[in-house]
Amino acid sequence: MNFIFPSWKQLAAGCFLIGIAFSLVSFAYIQHKNIQDNIRFKTHADIIKNDIWALNKSGIKSYLQLAVQANKYRYLAVLLEDDTPFFQVTGPEPTGLDHFLSLLHLLPLEKLSADIVYKNQLIGSLHGEQYVRIFYPLLNIFFFMVLTLLASLFMLYLYYNRRFLEQQVFERTQKHQASERRFHDLVNLLPEMVCETDLQGNLTYANKIALKQLNITKRELLNSSLFAFMVPEQVPHAREKFTNLIQGKEQKLDEYTVRTPDGILFPVLARSAPIYSGDEIIGIRSVIVDITERCSLEEKLHRAKRMEIIGLMAGGVAHDLNNILSGVINYPELILKKLPADSELRGQVKAIKRSGLRAADVVSDLLTVARGVAAPRTVAAPNTMINEYLNSPEFLQLQSLYPNISWKSELDPAVVNISCSPIHVKKSIMNLVINAAEAITDSGRVTISTAVCEQDDPDQQDEVIRRKRWTVINIHDTGPGIAPEDLDHIFDPFYTRKVMGKSGTGLGLTVVWNTVQDHNGEIRVNSDERGTTFSLYFPVTDRNFTPAEPTPDLKTLRGSGEKILVIDDNPQQQDIALQILTSLNYQVSVVSSGEEAVEYLRTRFVHILLLDMLMPPGLNGLQTYKQILTIHPGQKAVIASGFSENDDVRQTLQLGAASFIKKPYVMEQLGRVIYNALH
């Protein structure tokens, strides 16, 4: 206070002036209140004049009681014209704070009176006493004036402290410098690269992540140009963008390929803006995001779409080929049954059948690429599937072809079961093992191993893999590795570096990729000069593994004269099914469409249907089976098709069809599914 009132006399003078101001304001307020009280009292008299004229005491009583309570009157009395008391209402005694103020004589009484005039005739008068509650408003006025005084003092305080602000400016400058240090610390915590350059494009600043990803030090930074970290073909475009920024033109996001001093390339997305000093541009600031992971996901999406397009084409071709191959496979079987055991033709007929089966395997690969094979899922043990392959004739033949290769299996006993199509998983394992053997030019080793990958494994860097719990099948070879330019294409259909016709069709890895995708799995490839490892990740299941029942001998699969209706639009398929099933002691009838089958069964009964799924242009297999079920509820059926829509097959199986058999089938396969469905 000393800076405002240097002496006590000045302080006393200030208080005196405030007291005078308070007195004047209080006096004005009291006068105003007295006027308002008299006006209000006259209003009461005017309101009750009608009841006075009518001598209506009840009306007067109700109003005056309300007036006494609302306006804090001690009493209200009505006198007639001759001053004769007519009616009086007494108010409650003061309570609480009002009572305390009355004891201190701070709640005085004010006498009020008013004439009661009815139609210009004096008919009486209203008298009363009112508690003057002037203390509260005067107290409010006092506090208001005190607050006003304090506000004025505060303004004066600000005025007299301008010199103090100079010191604050100095301190704020220091804080600003500290804020800049904090800014640099925060920028260094960002996962994105942040760089600054001068007007020539020379780097003047880079945060820690930029120094790390560009693989340079702070000392090297000062001697580096931003354009030195770009691939040469993108530098002209980048310089043009840089010039536009210096000229103040707004630029959009740009995608570049960064090249580090040690030759590592990775894609980035950059957004830049000018650095201003006042109104002058002194440099460029850029935020650069490494989009390697995004590009990888985009590549996966493009590959999936590419596979889908190729799959549609392959599926249509495979369906037609399967119908053709049925004759190449099944007719030799029927011929062999009729040929004498010592016939010279048996060797040639068996060769025809083997050729057909090999062709059917290629078609099967095409169907896997098409992802249109309706393969049932069962719970399988990965270690068991691998051991079955290692003991198979196919693997024994592979060993004989590559005697200089050592074979090793490292199967984790703790590996968890998976829900899968065992046929396709085994085919994937076989394809990868064959590729591993063919990758080794002289001598080497092929290792098949299994493992469990736990969810949120801290040692696992792949974010996609860390989200689930997986069973992993690894196939590793010690070959020279896959060339970097080939890695992005190894899963494309018909893409191969092998000798076509000698080492395969170029579908092996495509089959592996589609199989893993169909099982909601992931596939990873690591390859360098020391070898290549393919890792197949399959989601685990908690269900128990149930071993498959042993396959019965063909002699035990013969029928007992049961009636079978073959529904197929292909005459050759009709003849093959008719001859095979007839030879297995079944009574066989044949129709060429779904409509014919429905009409046939309106008046006849068969034990089981052999149902094709695609029979254009009429009813397909699902539609046919639905209509037949309305005639014969619970009708048994087996689905037979070279290619079909998965949804249609699943729906047909859900409706009651016993199983699915893929064309072309051999006699033993058809006999087994029919026998199992009937029994």
Side-chain angles (χ1 to χ4, degrees):
M1 297 289 288
N2 291 338
F3 62 90
I4 299 177
F5 300 110
S7 67
W8 287 104
K9 291 182 179 180
Q10 291 177 336
L11 177 61
C15 293
F16 178 74
L17 291 175
I18 293 172
I20 291 176
F22 175 74
S23 299
L24 292 174
V25 173
S26 299
F27 177 79
Y29 176 81
I30 291 171
Q31 292 300 317
H32 174 75
K33 187 176 184 309
N34 287 338
I35 294 171
Q36 293 296 319
D37 289 343
N38 284 312
I39 292 174
R40 187 182 299 110
F41 202 82
K42 289 178 181 179
T43 301
H44 295 330
D46 189 56
I47 290 174
I48 64 174
K49 64 184 180 181
N50 291 330
D51 292 321
I52 297 297
W53 177 258
L55 301 179
N56 180 11
K57 286 188 176 183
S58 62
I60 296 171
K61 177 181 179 182
S62 60
Y63 178 79
L64 293 183
Q65 285 177 340
L66 290 173
V68 164
Q69 293 178 359
N71 302 115
K72 304 297 181 181
Y73 293 110
R74 184 180 181 188
Y75 74 90
L76 289 175
V78 178
L79 302 181
L80 297 179
E81 183 181 3
D82 56 357
D83 292 332
T84 302
F86 178 69
F87 189 79
Q88 180 173 332
V89 176
T90 302
E93 291 294 325
T95 59
L97 184 58
D98 287 345
H99 176 68
F100 177 75
L101 293 175
S102 66
L103 295 177
L104 298 177
H105 302 289
L106 295 176
L107 194 67
L109 289 170
E110 178 185 18
K111 291 187 177 182
L112 300 168
S113 63
D115 293 335
I116 303 173
V117 179
Y118 182 80
K119 294 184 179 180
N120 299 323
Q121 179 181 349
L122 182 65
I123 61 174
S125 60
L126 178 65
H127 299 268
E129 289 183 349
Q130 183 180 23
Y131 293 104
V132 182
R133 297 166 57 85
I134 198 68
F135 176 81
Y136 300 104
L138 292 181
L139 187 63
N140 289 335
I141 292 172
F142 175 77
F143 282 132
F144 175 77
M145 295 188 69
V146 169
L147 290 174
T148 303
L149 173 63
L150 292 176
S152 301
L153 293 176
F154 181 71
M155 296 300 295
L156 289 173
Y157 172 80
L158 294 178
Y159 176 77
Y160 281 102
N161 275 273
R162 286 188 302 176
R163 290 174 297 180
F164 178 71
L165 292 178
E166 295 177 357
Q167 179 65 24
Q168 285 188 323
V169 169
F170 175 75
E171 293 177 357
R172 286 180 181 273
T173 301
Q174 290 184 323
K175 290 181 179 178
H176 176 70
Q177 293 173 349
S179 176
E180 284 188 346
R181 287 193 297 270
R182 260 196 322 274
F183 166 77
H184 286 296
D185 292 341
L186 289 173
V187 168
N188 283 328
L189 292 174
L190 291 175
E192 290 83 18
M193 294 180 281
V194 180
C195 301
E196 293 181 355
T197 68
D198 59 19
L199 295 180
Q200 287 71 44
N202 298 316
L203 288 168
T204 58
Y205 171 79
N207 65 347
K208 287 183 178 179
I209 191 68
L211 294 174
K212 179 181 178 181
Q213 292 201 245
L214 297 178
N215 196 20
I216 58 174
T217 63
K218 287 185 177 180
R219 180 176 298 178
E220 294 170 335
L221 170 74
L222 300 178
N223 300 319
S224 301
S225 169
L226 179 65
F227 304 110
F229 295 96
M230 297 180 181
V231 292
E233 56 268 24
Q234 293 181 347
V235 171
H237 173 73
R239 287 191 180 277
E240 180 184 354
K241 293 285 186 180
F242 190 84
T243 303
N244 291 338
L245 279 169
I246 293 175
Q247 295 173 355
K249 299 178 182 179
E250 185 177 355
Q251 301 297 310
K252 298 180 180 180
L253 285 169
D254 286 302
E255 190 170 333
Y256 299 99
T257 299
V258 169
R259 183 180 62 184
T260 64
D262 52 356
I264 296 176
L265 301 175
F266 59 92
V268 298
L269 203 61
R271 181 67 180 267
S272 302
I275 303 174
Y276 286 92
S277 178
D279 295 332
E280 181 184 1
I281 297 176
I282 62 172
I284 300 297
R285 180 180 293 116
S286 302
V287 177
I288 305 171
V289 182
D290 184 351
I291 56 172
T292 302
E293 184 176 354
R294 192 192 78 175
C295 291
S296 175
L297 293 175
E298 289 178 350
E299 175 59 27
K300 286 184 178 179
L301 179 61
H302 293 326
R303 177 181 292 163
K305 289 183 177 179
R306 189 164 62 245
M307 290 292 190
E308 183 179 359
I309 294 171
I310 296 174
L312 290 174
M313 177 190 70
V317 173
H319 177 261
D320 293 338
L321 284 176
N322 272 333
N323 284 331
I324 296 171
L325 289 173
S326 294
V328 179
I329 294 172
N330 297 129
Y331 283 129
E333 280 190 310
L334 296 171
I335 292 172
L336 287 170
K337 289 192 68 175
K338 298 178 180 179
L339 282 176
D342 57 349
S343 173
E344 295 179 355
L345 296 176
R346 292 187 69 87
Q348 290 93 333
V349 174
K350 287 181 179 180
I352 294 172
K353 179 183 176 183
R354 285 195 298 270
S355 298
L357 290 173
R358 285 196 298 271
D361 287 339
V362 176
V363 174
S364 177
D365 288 345
L366 282 173
L367 286 174
T368 304
V369 172
R371 301 177 68 178
V373 176
R377 301 291 173 90
T378 60
V379 177
N383 290 347
T384 302
M385 289 190 289
I386 292 172
N387 284 325
E388 288 176 355
Y389 169 68
L390 295 178
N391 294 315
S392 68
E394 292 84 359
F395 180 71
L396 295 177
Q397 183 181 6
L398 186 67
Q399 283 182 305
S400 66
L401 293 175
Y402 298 94
N404 295 328
I405 295 178
S406 63
W407 310 87
K408 184 179 180 182
S409 62
E410 297 176 350
L411 307 183
D412 185 353
V415 79
V416 187
N417 295 337
I418 61 175
S419 176
C420 68
S421 166
I423 294 174
H424 289 88
V425 173
K426 288 181 184 178
K427 184 65 177 292
S428 298
I429 295 171
M430 182 182 71
N431 288 348
L432 291 174
V433 171
I434 292 173
N435 280 4
E438 293 177 345
I440 299 173
T441 54
D442 189 7
S443 62
R445 185 178 68 254
V446 175
T447 304
I448 307 173
S449 63
T450 56
V452 177
C453 183
E454 299 292 344
Q455 187 176 15
D456 296 326
D457 184 352
D459 296 330
Q460 177 58 249
Q461 301 299 319
D462 194 320
E463 288 296 327
V464 175
I465 299 300
R466 290 185 62 181
R467 294 173 190 159
K468 291 182 182 179
R469 188 168 180 242
W470 309 87
T471 284
V472 190
I473 301 175
N474 301 301
I475 289 88
H476 172 75
D477 67 70
T478 58
I482 302 172
E485 62 270 17
D486 292 332
L487 272 176
D488 292 336
H489 304 284
I490 58 175
F491 297 113
D492 292 350
F494 309 112
Y495 184 87
T496 180
R497 291 298 186 186
K498 303 174 185 179
V499 179
M500 188 63 71
K502 177 181 178 182
S503 300
T505 61
L507 290 173
L509 289 181
T510 309
V511 169
V512 175
W513 189 88
N514 279 276
T515 298
V516 173
Q517 295 301 309
D518 278 342
H519 288 79
N520 298 316
E522 296 287 337
I523 184 168
R524 297 291 183 267
V525 184
N526 293 313
S527 185
D528 54 30
E529 66 279 0
R530 295 170 297 177
T532 302
T533 301
F534 283 83
S535 298
L536 310 184
Y537 291 81
F538 294 97
V540 304
T541 180
D542 295 329
R543 293 156 55 195
N544 294 326
F545 166 60
T546 303
E549 296 181 0
T551 303
D553 184 66
L554 184 60
K555 296 178 181 179
T556 65
L557 299 178
R558 294 180 60 80
S560 302
E562 292 91 340
K563 295 180 180 179
I564 300 177
L565 178 63
V566 176
I567 309 171
D568 200 304
D569 62 333
N570 187 288
Q572 180 175 281
Q573 284 294 142
Q574 294 176 359
D575 183 59
I576 290 170
L578 174 65
Q579 293 199 45
I580 290 176
L581 294 174
T582 301
S583 69
L584 292 175
N585 197 32
Y586 293 107
Q587 299 182 45
V588 185
S589 301
V590 176
V591 293
S592 300
S593 67
E595 291 81 358
E596 289 183 33
V598 173
E599 290 301 319
Y600 180 90
L601 291 172
R602 290 190 188 280
T603 57
R604 298 174 181 84
F605 166 79
V606 295
H607 292 89
I608 193 168
L609 309 173
L610 182 60
L611 177 63
D612 187 18
M613 288 303 293
L614 293 178
M615 297 178 289
L619 298 175
N620 63 20
L622 173 60
Q623 296 166 336
T624 302
Y625 192 52
K626 283 182 177 179
Q627 292 194 22
I628 290 174
L629 288 176
T630 62
I631 303 171
H632 299 290
Q635 175 68 63
K636 294 180 179 180
V638 168
I639 305 168
S641 182
F643 179 73
S644 63
E645 295 292 334
N646 284 339
D647 287 342
D648 284 352
V649 171
R650 280 193 291 270
Q651 289 184 49
T652 307
L653 292 171
Q654 290 173 0
L655 289 174
S659 59
F660 173 88
I661 183 171
K662 184 174 70 68
K663 300 177 185 177
Y665 43 73
V666 296
M667 184 181 296
E668 182 182 347
Q669 291 174 332
L670 181 59
R672 183 171 62 254
V673 295
I674 293 294
Y675 184 87
N676 291 339
L678 288 171
H679 298 88

